[in-house]
Amino acid sequence: MQHEMRKALWALKTAKVDLDAGDGAASVNRSYYAMFYTARAALLDKDEDIPKTHSALIGKFSSCFVQSGAFAKQLGRDFNKIEEQR
């Protein structure tokens, strides 16, 4: 789990660098991966299996955390939207 969070924080840091450099597309990509790695860490923390595809991981994160109310529904929508944009 800690390894996934380190990757998430690195992706978030590089997203900010890309945004500051004016590279919006790269920033969106890195922001998506920050969310992706954080979702993996959350699932690992709950001892859940990690799906093999990105869309399956987002679905599992949603069913485990968004639908239960642990995270806002808007976060689930944003996660799906940024996956499409990456």
Side-chain angles (χ1 to χ4, degrees), residues 2 4 6 8 11 13 17 19 21 23 25-26 30 33 38-39 48 51 54 61 63 66-67 69-70 73-74 79 86:
Q2 291 178 351
E4 296 299 318
R6 278 193 296 274
K13 185 176 183 177
V17 170
L19 184 62
D23 191 347
R30 300 315 303 152
Y33 276 99
T38 301
E48 294 285 341
H54 286 235
F61 176 82
S63 67
V66 177
Q67 293 173 5
K73 289 183 181 184
Q74 185 62 49
F79 202 1
R86 72 175 170 107

Side-chain angles (χ1 to χ4, degrees), residues 33-50:
Y33 276 99
M35 293 178 80
F36 176 81
Y37 293 131
T38 301
R40 283 179 55 93
L43 290 169
L44 286 168
D45 189 52
K46 291 280 191 182
D47 291 325
E48 294 285 341
D49 291 332
I50 303 299

